[in-house]
Structure formats: C-alpha cells, structure tokens
Amino acid sequence: MVGANGIGKSTLLRTLANIQLPLSGEIKLQNKSLFSYSNTELAKEISLVLTEQIPSKNLTVIELIALGRQPYTNWIGNLSKNDYEIIENALLKTNLLELKHRKCYTLSDGQLQKVMIARALAQDTSMIILDEPTTHLDMYHKAYVLNLLKTLAHETHKTMLFSTHEIDLAIQLCDEMIVMNNGCVFSGTPCELIEQGIFEKLFPTDLITFDASSGSFKVKRTH
Amino acid sequence: MSDQPTYRVTFLVLSLVLIAAFLLNISLGSVAIPLKGIFAAFTGGEIEKETWRITILEIRLPKAITAILVGCGLSLSGLLMQTLFRNPLSGPFVLGLSSGASLGVAMLIMGASVFGGVASLVLTSSYSLVIAASLGSFLVLLTVMVVSFRIKDTMSILIIGLMFGSITAAIVSVLTYFSDAEQLKQYMMWTLGSLGSLHAEELSILSILSIVGIILSIVAIKPLNAFLLGENYARSLGINIQKSRYIIIIATSIMAGSCTAFVGPIAFIGLAIPHITRLFFQTTNHKVLVPSVCLVGAILLLICDSIAQVPFYDITLPINAITSIIGAPVVIWLLVRKRKMIF
C-alpha cells in the first residue's frame, strides 16, 4: 500500500486491523463482518506489526515471539510442544536463531523489526498487517525486510499487507499493490499499475517524475 | 522445555530464605528467643519461660504474618502498576494511592475536632481509621481510572498521582492549624507505619483481602504479559483490554488500599521489589514474576521489620523509616545502572 504522506495509509491499516472504528462502510474478512469476530477469533486471523515502540524491551527475543502464541494458549499462557515448534519455526524463517536469548534492548532496529515479524508469524494468522515496516532501516535492511515478507508470503501462504514509502522496492518485490491517491484508490500488479500511469499522478510533478522504463522516481534536473 | 530456564531451584532457595527470615523475625526482639522456644510455643510443648509463649503467639507471630502479607501485597500491586501504566517508576506511592489513604486518615483524625469532643472519640477508633484510609485510596483510584479512560497518555496518570500527593500535603498542613498536639501525634504515628498493631480480627480481614488480590493477579498473568507489548498489540492478541484493566486496577487497589489502611503508608516496597526481582530472575514473564515478587517482598519486609524492632533493646523504630533507608538507595542504584530500570 503506497501513497503520499497524510493520505490515510496508516488510518486505513489501523481500521482494517480493528484498532480504530471505521467512519463509514463495512469491513469483511472471509465474507464475514470484521465486527462479528470475537477478540480471540480475530487474533487467529490478523496479526500486526506496528510502528509504535514496545514498552518493555527487557523481553528476550524468544519471550517476545512466544507472546504471539497467546490466542492459542490456556488461561495462564502455558506453551505446548506444538507452540514451541511454531516459535522455533518462526525463528528459523526470519533467521533469528542465534539471537533468540538476546534482550530486545541490545538489538538493532533491523533485528528488532525481524523479531516483530517473527512474532506476527508465530501468531499463525491468515493475514499479517504491517504499518511501514521499513522505517528507520538502512537501504540494505529495507530491501531485506521486504524480500523477507515476499518469501514468507509465498512459503506460508499468508497475506502480507503493508504500507511503505519505498515505491521502487515495492514495485520490484510486491505481487499486488494498492495505490492511494487523492480521492481514488487503485490496485493491481505493479506492471498493470505502471501501464495505467498510476504512479505519475502520485506526487506533485514539480520536483520528481516517475520513470516507467526503470520503475522508479527520478529527481528533475533544475538549474 | 530445555530452552526455557526453569526457576525451580531459585524458588526453592527463596522459600527457604523466607522461612529463615520468618523464624529470625520471631526470634529477635527486645528479648531473643531461641529456635527451640519458638517451636515449643507453636507446638504447645514444654517451654523455658511461659511469658515467651505469649510474646510469640500474641505479639510476634501476628506481626510477622502482617509483614508477609503487606510485603506481598505492596510488591505485587507495584508490579501490576508498572506493567499496566508501562512506567518503571510506578508504585502505590507514586500513583497517589498512599496519599489518598493518608488524606482519609488526616481528615478523620484532625478533622474530627471540628465535630467536637464526643464525636472525635467515636470517630478515631481503629476501624474508622481503616475505613477512612480505604475510602481515601479508593477515591484516588477512581479518579485515576476516570482519567485513564479519557487520556491514553500514561505520563498524565502519574502526574495526577503526584498532584494527589501535593493536595494531601497541603490539606494536612491546613488541618494542623486547627488540631491539637494529641491529634497531630496520632496522625504522625500512623504515617510512620506500624506492623505490630493488628488484632486477630483485623489480621484475618487483611489476609482475606490479600488472597483476593493475589488470585486476581494470577488471573491477570496472561493479559499482563500481553501488556508488555503495548495495548494495541495486546488487543491484536485477543486480550479484552477493558476487562483486563479493570481486574488489574481492582487487584491493585485492594492490595495497596488494605495494606496502607492497616499498617500506614510504607514507602519503596511497591516500587523497589519488582525491580529487584526482575534483576534476580532476569525475566519479565509475569508467570514467574507474580509469585517471585510475593516471595521477595515478604522476605524484605520481614528483614526490615527485624531491623526496626532493634534486637535486644526495648524500642521499636518506625518501619517506614527502615524501608526508606534501604529502598531509596536501591532505587538510586537501579537508576544509575539505567538499563536495568527498564522493565
């Protein structure tokens, strides 16, 4: 999901994730209204990776990921053998095995983001919603995280819905894109969207223009 | 599982320390009573001096049990507050619950003079003291709860706690102008805190309230762990935020309110114990923290009380002074080590 600052990407994601109420309209998940789901049912369908900092960074990596199993555990949160296998698998898939006993405050932003993705993965939902998962990351880690999401989506058959400002990377890595523009929303594969010239209208054209042949934005030469 | 550290040994050691601290607490005092004498008093066997039996069963045992219950209650309420308000500096003191209780007691003791001599005699019995303190802390809690619904910012809630502290101090200083020395002394004695003034009946009320608080805390273990990620994540994990908040706040107020009401405001236990326990166990999992915070809190308050009763001398120091002398440096030390203060 891409769009200019302030267009409402986060608001839409937060509404879809049931963090805030919709202003109007209806949200359906698997042909069922989002509001007819109970808390626990919804927790088994949608997991989140948000931009907000977690309050307790004293958690170890494995403790944090284990919290993703809460919708499935009993009243006191005991983890079963199956839960441990899923946690281990999430660690493996996100390449975090050697960090699993580290405290979160010792991790870099990129590592912490991977941990948050692993936690969402351990929640074992059909959909993972991520709000700008690549902010604060360097160029390599931006590409790494988005590539990881693509791999995970294909391997685990989960829908990964995320907002991002990395339009170039998204065009290269996403299966489908939602482009939010003033008043209208477009969706389709990156190729279709380029052919329709959707990206040209995304920003004011006084400074940057979209180059359809390379699929990226270029700064206009000015004198 | 092999990956998760088990704390069985640590728990066993702590339990043994608790028993040792309990026996030490009973044995020490104006007269030292040997272990043999303590067991004899408990089992009703032959005892060296018959006065020892009375000393132990009627004075020292209730006091030690009070110390355990209050240590548990205050530490646990501190832990719940720190997690709920996502602030490592929360505690019954900081949130203003103790101030609320103090205000209730101050109004009762010193405000009673307004109603004249007869009324003041009726009003200042020990039960009305407890009721006033409970009402005071509950009132503060209601305010905090109303604020927490309106304002999501946890910092504001703490500031409200601080404001209650100021209001209490101000009202108390106004009341001192209108009250005589006797009433002032009575209020001061309450603020200094005392573990030894509980009768059997009061002790059983405190026990029941503590057990209710502990049970509610155990029920809240899972949501407490989810709250470590913040409320949005907790909701996405299927936690009923509003209900969990209610349970945690009610548990906190029952424990902090009843402890403060019966023994006076005791500083630093609620704030420092959860941090010491986290340092000790190196975990933030509430399944480990809830029982361990109870153990550590009980041990520490027993030790503080053993010091306060000044072994071999016929004097007793105020418990609040001892916990502050021990607790304040601990908090400062934790802050200096900075990283450890995060929770």
Side-chain angles (χ1 to χ4, degrees):
Chain A
M1 184 183 289
V2 296
N5 280 333
I7 201 86
K9 295 189 298 296
S10 288
T11 310
L12 180 57
L13 284 184
R14 291 166 66 86
T15 313
L16 291 177
N18 203 15
I19 293 176
Q20 59 191 65
L21 291 172
L23 295 172
S24 66
E26 200 185 1
I27 303 167
K28 281 191 173 176
L29 182 68
Q30 292 172 348
N31 289 323
K32 203 176 143 191
S33 166
L34 195 69
F35 304 107
S36 64
Y37 282 87
S38 75
N39 284 345
T40 328
E41 279 170 1
L42 196 61
K44 290 175 181 173
E45 292 296 336
I46 298 177
S47 55
L48 302 177
V49 176
L50 302 168
T51 42
E52 63 185 43
Q53 290 277 329
I54 55 164
S56 172
K57 290 212 170 166
N58 207 10
L59 286 160
T60 61
V61 170
I62 192 159
E63 279 177 333
L64 200 158
I65 296 172
L67 287 176
R69 296 305 297 165
Q70 278 217 348
Y72 306 92
T73 54
N74 62 0
W75 67 278
I76 206 166
N78 275 334
L79 295 167
S80 70
K81 209 172 173 186
N82 181 39
D83 290 325
Y84 277 107
E85 273 165 19
I86 290 168
I87 293 162
E88 204 72 9
N89 194 27
L91 283 164
L92 191 74
K93 284 217 158 73
T94 47
N95 205 10
L96 284 167
L97 272 177
E98 60 266 42
L99 294 177
K100 69 175 175 184
H101 292 302
R102 285 265 295 273
K103 295 269 186 192
C104 284
Y105 63 77
T106 65
L107 301 180
S108 70
D109 285 343
Q111 288 168 330
L112 194 60
Q113 195 59 274
K114 280 205 290 181
V115 175
M116 296 314 288
I117 292 171
R119 190 208 62 83
L121 211 56
Q123 205 174 325
D124 200 18
T125 54
S126 54
M127 187 178 205
I128 299 179
I129 295 178
L130 308 94
D131 190 7
E132 296 193 18
T134 54
T135 35
H136 305 303
L137 303 184
D138 61 36
M139 198 177 257
Y140 172 79
H141 283 97
K142 280 179 179 165
Y144 182 93
V145 165
L146 294 191
N147 191 44
L148 175 71
L149 291 178
K150 184 194 174 86
T151 321
L152 290 174
H154 288 180
E155 277 179 9
T156 59
H157 304 288
K158 295 181 193 305
T159 307
M160 306 272 177
L161 174 62
F162 64 95
S163 60
T164 185
H165 287 297
E166 310 305 318
I167 300 178
D168 317 12
L169 285 172
I171 286 174
Q172 293 174 59
L173 288 166
C174 290
D175 298 315
E176 270 189 72
M177 286 177 78
I178 300 165
V179 182
M180 292 177 80
N181 213 330
N182 266 333
C184 37
V185 176
F186 306 94
S187 68
T189 64
C191 282
E192 288 168 6
L193 291 168
I194 292 174
E195 279 165 19
Q196 290 166 25
I198 303 294
F199 295 107
E200 275 88 344
K201 294 175 233 154
L202 200 52
F203 300 113
T205 49
D206 54 336
L207 196 58
I208 49 170
T209 52
F210 185 74
D211 177 26
S213 58
S214 66
S216 62
F217 283 90
K218 294 274 188 300
V219 181
K220 268 189 184 172
R221 284 178 196 283
T222 49
H223 297 286
Chain B
M1 292 295 272
S2 57
D3 273 345
Q4 295 294 91
T6 52
Y7 300 97
R8 223 166 273 153
V9 179
T10 329
F11 272 118
L12 192 73
V13 171
L14 277 181
S15 309
L16 291 177
V17 173
L18 178 65
I19 293 166
F22 178 72
L23 291 175
L24 186 80
N25 185 279
I26 289 180
S27 143
L28 291 178
S30 52
V31 244
I33 299 174
L35 269 183
K36 217 172 71 188
I38 296 171
F39 285 122
F42 283 161
T43 54
E46 284 279 306
I47 196 159
E48 220 170 302
K49 288 181 195 159
E50 210 44 44
T51 50
W52 283 2
R53 196 192 302 276
I54 297 161
T55 310
I56 287 174
L57 291 183
E58 279 173 24
I59 299 170
R60 291 190 187 174
L61 187 64
K63 190 155 73 85
I65 292 172
T66 310
I68 290 174
L69 291 175
V70 171
C72 266
L74 288 179
S75 319
L76 202 50
S77 67
L79 175 73
L80 298 192
M81 282 183 202
Q82 288 173 8
T83 305
L84 181 67
F85 293 106
R86 299 188 290 277
N87 191 312
L89 288 171
S90 307
F93 236 64
V94 182
L95 220 64
L97 293 194
S98 305
S99 305
S102 305
L103 186 60
V105 171
M107 297 273 248
L108 181 77
I109 294 175
M110 296 190 280
S113 59
V114 179
F115 301 107
V118 185
S120 76
L121 265 178
V122 181
L123 283 170
T124 49
S125 76
S126 75
Y127 275 108
S128 49
L129 213 71
V130 169
I131 292 165
S134 306
L135 273 180
S137 55
F138 191 68
L139 213 72
V140 172
L141 204 87
L142 277 182
T143 318
V144 172
M145 241 148 81
V146 168
V147 171
S148 70
F149 286 137
R150 296 225 170 159
I151 307 168
K152 288 274 179 272
D153 179 22
T154 49
M155 223 34 165
S156 327
I157 296 164
L158 290 183
I159 290 170
I160 289 191
L162 283 174
M163 290 304 105
F164 265 103
S166 309
I167 292 171
T168 311
I171 293 179
V172 168
S173 60
V174 169
L175 282 174
T176 50
Y177 272 101
F178 300 105
S179 53
D180 52 46
E182 188 56 40
Q183 291 165 332
L184 203 61
K185 193 183 165 209
Q186 201 187 346
Y187 174 72
M188 285 309 292
M189 287 306 287
W190 181 81
T191 59
L192 289 175
S194 163
L195 295 171
S197 53
L198 266 69
H199 309 297
E201 203 177 325
E202 294 170 319
L203 197 57
S204 52
I205 296 173
L206 182 61
S207 312
I208 291 166
L209 290 175
S210 300
I211 289 165
V212 170
I214 291 169
I215 289 171
L216 286 176
S217 311
I218 292 169
V219 169
I221 283 177
K222 195 171 162 178
L224 279 168
N225 279 333
F227 278 135
L228 290 174
L229 296 177
E231 282 183 13
N232 284 332
Y233 278 118
R235 191 181 293 113
S236 86
L237 284 166
I239 299 295
N240 185 339
I241 303 285
Q242 220 55 270
K243 194 181 111 195
S244 310
R245 262 190 178 174
Y246 273 125
I247 293 175
I248 295 169
I249 287 179
I250 288 168
T252 306
S253 68
I254 286 177
M255 288 185 291
S258 64
C259 289
T260 310
F262 280 111
V263 303
I266 290 186
F268 289 105
I269 293 289
L271 175 59
I273 299 289
H275 287 292
I276 295 171
T277 315
R278 277 190 208 99
L279 208 63
F280 203 61
F281 280 85
Q282 283 297 319
T283 185
T284 39
N285 187 350
H286 288 81
K287 218 162 70 188
V288 178
L289 283 180
V290 167
S292 55
V293 150
C294 282
L295 279 175
V296 176
I299 291 169
L300 224 83
L301 202 56
L302 276 174
I303 293 172
C304 283
D305 182 54
S306 303
I307 298 169
Q309 65 198 357
V310 196
F312 317 117
Y313 289 93
D314 210 3
I315 50 170
T316 310
L317 298 173
I319 183 74
N320 201 6
I322 306 295
T323 56
S324 298
I325 288 169
I326 294 173
V330 167
V331 173
I332 292 169
W333 174 67
L334 285 166
L335 275 172
V336 171
R337 293 186 61 177
K338 220 170 178 178
R339 270 295 176 205
K340 299 296 179 197
M341 200 65 193
I342 66 170
F343 73 108

